[in-house]
């Protein structure tokens, strides 16, 4: 498995549900929300959503840039931010929610899908603003779930989520 520099790139991303953001960056503090699967019999009603990737229409459109690091036909996705969370990986290490984590061997990797659901890479984009879906290498499509004060939480597909359509704005191709 080797890195494919020609298929790696940096982009900003918007979705059909709003802009992507990290609540800790947006609000400048730790953000707790009611658990989406809250059960009156559980001990904890709230969860820390500060590092979760969220979508919200009023989130700053340029808060996050993403580095898509290509290995064969799949990608590791890293955050490019000002300061906090810079170069952290997008992963679903905490249940099915996608969040910012320090890179490690167990981080989630992704395939990019075209409108027909076929796996594609940068060299197959016809322009610098393609619309795609993203799925984990395990085959779970990134989706949005919940309507909270920090927006919808990006997750791997579940019975209560809606698939996300991503609009890439490629800033740099062949990024190393």
């Amino acid at each position: 498995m080797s890195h494919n520099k020609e298929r790696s790139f940096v982009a900003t991303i918007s979705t059909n549900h709003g802009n992507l953001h990290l609540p800790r960056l947006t609000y400048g503090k730790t953000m707790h929300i009611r658990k989406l699967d809250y059960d009156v019999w559980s001990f904890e009603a709230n969860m820390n959503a500060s590092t979760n990737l969220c979508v919200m229409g009023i989130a700053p459109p340029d808060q996050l840039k993403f580095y898509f690091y290509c290995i064969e036909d799949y990608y590791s996705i890293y955050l490019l931010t000002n300061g906090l969370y810079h170069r952290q990986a997008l992963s679903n290490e905490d249940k099915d929610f996608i969040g910012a984590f320090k890179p490690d061997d167990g981080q989630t990797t992704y395939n990019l899908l075209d409108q027909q659901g076929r796996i594609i890479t940068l060299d197959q984009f016809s322009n610098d603003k393609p619309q795609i879906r993203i799925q984990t290498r395990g085959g779970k499509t990134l989706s949005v779930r919940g309507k909270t004060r920090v927006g919808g939480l990006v997750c791997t597909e579940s019975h209560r989520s809606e698939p996300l359509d991503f609009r890439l704005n490629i800033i740099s191709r062949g990024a190393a």
Side-chain angles (χ1 to χ4, degrees), residues 29-41:
K29 63 182 181 178
T30 301
M31 296 298 295
H32 287 87
I33 61 170
R34 185 175 214 58
K35 284 185 177 177
L36 297 182
D37 297 323
Y38 175 66
D39 178 349
V40 294
W41 302 106

Side-chain angles (χ1 to χ4, degrees), residues 120 125-132 166-170:
I120 57 173
F125 294 154
S126 59
N127 61 56
D128 285 344
K129 296 186 185 278
Q131 185 168 318
I132 61 167
F166 295 92
R167 171 71 65 188
L168 300 180
N169 179 21
I170 298 172

